[in-house]
Amino acid sequence: MIKLHNNLTRKLEEFTPIDKNNVRIYACGPTVYDRAHVGNGRPSVVFDVLVRLLRHVYGDEHVAYARNITDVEDKINQKAAETGREISDITQETTGWYHDDMDALGVKRPDHEPFATAYIPEMIEMIQELIAKGHAYPAEGHVLFDVRSYEAYGALSRRTLDDMIAGARVEVAPYKRDPMDFVLWKPAGDGPGWESPWGVGRPGWHIECSAMSRKLFGDVFDIHAGGIDLQFPHHENEIAQSCACTGQDVMANYWVHNEMLQVEGKKMSKSLGNFFTVRDLLDQGISGEVIRFVLLSTHYASPMDWTEKKRKEAEKTLRKWRSMTDGVVAAHPSLEVVEALSNDLNTAGAIAALHGLAKSGDAAGLKASAQLLGLLDDHMGDWVNAVDLSIYADHLLSLRDEAMANKDFSRVDNMKTALLSAGVEVRMSKDGVDLSAGSGFDASKLEGLV
Ligand code: AMP
Ligand code: ZN
């Protein structure tokens, strides 16, 4: 029995799928104009674990996961204008980066990865339906959603329209009936455009998720996921569009939101400039598995910081677990780990249970249970032996220079002995020092040597 904190009801609820043979989960994916930062990695990793859990419970072939790619958006147009590049060049390149980076984090590709630009006809159709039902109106080349026509507007974010107007920096446009009315379609202007009944234009941001999820999953599906920053206005608007169009009370039965990765108390974001990318970390030699471990070490619904301390701890733990499970065949995931994950995806509790398995020496159980979290997968372990040994080589060289001067080689010998006992092969010649990881290499034994 899986329990999830449903943000629609603000309650911890038992998860009951509409059809247990076809469990459907949709997550809002990236806008492709730049590298994903580590904060963007959080929902990808968290919902990847949720999907793994659903597959564990309902069976691989009974779970369908969709995560969209937003490839039409003003930030993309801006980047194209700044660089003089084609929009499609930018979106294709960035999608490739996103795939590479998420692969490195051990995130499985979703079953469906709809590109917004591939669903323009479905969006136009949905907008036409909304107009026909009196929930949207064309004005000056735009089409706007009429928020006053949809009574439940604000239900997800628990705000009334009047609160929203008071609190928001809303764009007051003369063609809007209400300041909170939002754009479904807008004129192309200098940007890309498609033919439509309202002239050449392009969709507003929110309509894509409504149109794509409906096409892929139907009027109502099981779980809608995304970052808490999307709750308002994006998800509120998705619900308004979808429910006003289909006449259903809900768009998805469970809404699950991850909290933000922060830097010094502020959301990590492109616009604040306080971000580092997943690629930055990978390039520093931090493995995707370690990044994943850190992201899962805090419950998804709590804000968290990336810290060097967490990184070090994660690396140490994974090294230990990897050497313990090397060559071991995975057994079944432990009940304790499955239960922790089933309790509103308590990944921190699951990791605590993994520590317990390691302590008790249950290597086969540890491996299987960790794999449910996407850790200790066989193809993700290369980093353990791919350590940058150059600082140790430099250190050894400087010790040798000292020794040549004072004729005391004891520090050189001690360093060599320590490296050898960590499984490092040491070759010294008058030209320099060559170090490589041997078969019994254990990086934890290198700690404190330099
Ligand atoms: P974006 O490309 O900005 O639309 O974001 C893609 C996904 O990353 C969305 O689900 C966002 O909610 C999520 N996201 C953005 N910033 C953060 C952050 N600092 N921490 C966690 N998730 C984030
Ligand atoms: Zn969305």
CSV table of all heavy atoms in Angstrom, one decimal, residues 396-397 400-401 404 409 427-434:
chain,number,residue,atom,x,y,z
A,396,LEU,N,53.9,13.2,-4.1
A,396,LEU,CA,55.0,12.3,-4.0
A,396,LEU,C,56.3,13.0,-4.6
A,396,LEU,O,57.4,12.8,-4.1
A,396,LEU,CB,54.6,11.0,-4.7
A,396,LEU,CG,55.5,9.8,-4.4
A,396,LEU,CD1,55.6,9.5,-3.0
A,396,LEU,CD2,54.9,8.6,-5.1
A,397,LEU,N,56.1,13.7,-5.7
A,397,LEU,CA,57.2,14.3,-6.4
A,397,LEU,C,57.8,15.4,-5.5
A,397,LEU,O,59.1,15.5,-5.4
A,397,LEU,CB,56.7,15.0,-7.7
A,397,LEU,CG,56.7,14.2,-9.0
A,397,LEU,CD1,56.2,15.0,-10.1
A,397,LEU,CD2,58.2,13.7,-9.2
A,400,ARG,N,59.9,13.8,-2.9
A,400,ARG,CA,61.1,13.3,-3.4
A,400,ARG,C,62.1,14.5,-3.6
A,400,ARG,O,63.3,14.3,-3.3
A,400,ARG,CB,60.9,12.6,-4.8
A,400,ARG,CG,62.2,11.9,-5.2
A,400,ARG,CD,62.0,11.0,-6.4
A,400,ARG,NE,61.7,11.8,-7.6
A,400,ARG,CZ,61.7,11.3,-8.8
A,400,ARG,NH1,61.9,10.0,-9.0
A,400,ARG,NH2,61.5,12.0,-9.8
A,401,ASP,N,61.6,15.6,-4.1
A,401,ASP,CA,62.5,16.8,-4.2
A,401,ASP,C,63.2,17.2,-2.9
A,401,ASP,O,64.4,17.4,-2.8
A,401,ASP,CB,61.8,18.0,-4.8
A,401,ASP,CG,61.4,17.8,-6.3
A,401,ASP,OD1,62.0,16.8,-6.9
A,401,ASP,OD2,60.6,18.5,-6.8
A,404,MET,N,65.8,14.6,-1.9
A,404,MET,CA,67.0,14.7,-2.6
A,404,MET,C,67.9,15.8,-1.9
A,404,MET,O,69.1,15.6,-1.9
A,404,MET,CB,66.8,15.2,-4.1
A,404,MET,CG,65.9,14.3,-4.9
A,404,MET,SD,66.8,12.8,-5.4
A,404,MET,CE,66.7,13.1,-7.1
A,409,PHE,N,64.9,9.9,3.0
A,409,PHE,CA,63.8,9.4,2.1
A,409,PHE,C,62.7,8.8,2.9
A,409,PHE,O,61.8,8.2,2.3
A,409,PHE,CB,64.4,8.4,1.1
A,409,PHE,CG,65.1,9.1,-0.1
A,409,PHE,CD1,66.4,9.5,0.1
A,409,PHE,CD2,64.4,9.4,-1.2
A,409,PHE,CE1,67.1,10.2,-0.9
A,409,PHE,CE2,65.1,10.0,-2.3
A,409,PHE,CZ,66.4,10.5,-2.1
A,427,ARG,N,54.8,3.9,-9.9
A,427,ARG,CA,56.0,3.8,-10.7
A,427,ARG,C,56.7,5.1,-10.6
A,427,ARG,O,56.2,6.1,-11.1
A,427,ARG,CB,55.6,3.4,-12.1
A,427,ARG,CG,55.5,1.9,-12.4
A,427,ARG,CD,55.1,1.6,-13.8
A,427,ARG,NE,53.7,2.2,-14.0
A,427,ARG,CZ,52.6,1.4,-13.8
A,427,ARG,NH1,52.7,0.2,-13.3
A,427,ARG,NH2,51.4,2.0,-13.9
A,428,MET,N,57.9,5.1,-10.1
A,428,MET,CA,58.7,6.3,-10.0
A,428,MET,C,60.0,6.2,-10.9
A,428,MET,O,60.6,5.1,-10.9
A,428,MET,CB,59.2,6.6,-8.6
A,428,MET,CG,58.0,6.9,-7.6
A,428,MET,SD,58.6,7.3,-5.9
A,428,MET,CE,58.9,9.0,-6.1
A,429,SER,N,60.2,7.2,-11.7
A,429,SER,CA,61.4,7.2,-12.4
A,429,SER,C,62.0,8.6,-12.4
A,429,SER,O,61.4,9.5,-11.8
A,429,SER,CB,61.1,6.9,-13.9
A,429,SER,OG,60.4,7.9,-14.5
A,430,LYS,N,63.2,8.9,-13.0
A,430,LYS,CA,63.7,10.2,-12.9
A,430,LYS,C,62.8,11.2,-13.6
A,430,LYS,O,62.9,12.4,-13.3
A,430,LYS,CB,65.2,10.3,-13.3
A,430,LYS,CG,65.4,9.9,-14.8
A,430,LYS,CD,66.9,10.1,-15.1
A,430,LYS,CE,67.3,9.9,-16.5
A,430,LYS,NZ,66.5,9.2,-17.5
A,431,ASP,N,62.0,10.7,-14.5
A,431,ASP,CA,61.1,11.7,-15.3
A,431,ASP,C,59.9,12.1,-14.5
A,431,ASP,O,59.2,13.0,-14.8
A,431,ASP,CB,60.7,11.0,-16.6
A,431,ASP,CG,61.9,10.7,-17.5
A,431,ASP,OD1,62.9,11.5,-17.4
A,431,ASP,OD2,61.8,9.7,-18.2
A,432,GLY,N,59.5,11.3,-13.5
A,432,GLY,CA,58.3,11.6,-12.8
A,432,GLY,C,57.7,10.5,-12.1
A,432,GLY,O,58.3,9.4,-11.8
A,433,VAL,N,56.4,10.6,-11.7
A,433,VAL,CA,55.7,9.6,-11.0
A,433,VAL,C,54.4,9.2,-11.7
A,433,VAL,O,53.7,10.1,-12.2
A,433,VAL,CB,55.3,10.2,-9.6
A,433,VAL,CG1,54.4,9.2,-8.9
A,433,VAL,CG2,56.5,10.4,-8.7
A,434,ASP,N,54.2,7.9,-11.8
A,434,ASP,CA,53.0,7.5,-12.5
A,434,ASP,C,52.2,6.6,-11.5
A,434,ASP,O,52.7,5.6,-11.0
A,434,ASP,CB,53.4,6.6,-13.7
A,434,ASP,CG,52.2,6.2,-14.5
A,434,ASP,OD1,51.2,7.0,-14.5
A,434,ASP,OD2,52.2,5.1,-15.0
